[in-house]
Amino acid sequence: ALGEAHPYTLASNNNLANTVRNQGRYGEAEKLHRQCLGARKNALGEAHPYTLASNNNLANTVRNQGRYGEAEKLHRQCLGARKNALG
């Protein structure tokens, strides 16, 4: 078994959240994205590219719900973290 914190398990959680979002179930998708983001931060660190991708996915889900100010803040945080981590 790979375990809850294995990158493949976390990728599956992220894919589930994206699929739920694509079905228009934004509230449920947001909860799943927040769980995935937290798990990736714990397992991989805040600056890992997969963690940053989860942050971006959360921002997109928040945007889909019409919460544009919150989504912009999340996107700006992600952009800043990516610039710091990846150059």
Side-chain angles (χ1 to χ4, degrees):
L2 299 176
E4 295 276 328
H6 191 280
Y8 289 170
T9 304
L10 298 174
S12 292
N13 289 339
N14 185 67
N15 291 341
L16 173 61
N18 284 335
T19 299
V20 170
R21 181 185 67 205
N22 290 342
Q23 295 177 60
R25 294 162 35 206
Y26 301 124
E28 183 181 354
E30 180 180 352
K31 182 179 177 182
L32 291 168
H33 278 302
R34 288 188 186 279
Q35 290 171 349
C36 185
L37 177 59
R40 280 183 163 172
K41 282 181 179 179
N42 289 335
L44 305 172
E46 295 215 12
H48 191 281
Y50 292 167
T51 304
L52 298 176
S54 286
N55 190 58
N56 190 68
N57 288 336
L58 173 61
N60 287 335
T61 301
V62 169
R63 182 198 65 219
N64 289 139
Q65 295 175 80
R67 294 169 19 220
Y68 302 114
E70 184 180 351
E72 180 182 356
K73 181 179 176 183
L74 289 167
H75 278 301
R76 288 185 183 279
Q77 289 172 349
C78 186
L79 178 61
R82 282 183 168 166
K83 283 181 178 179
N84 288 337
L86 306 173

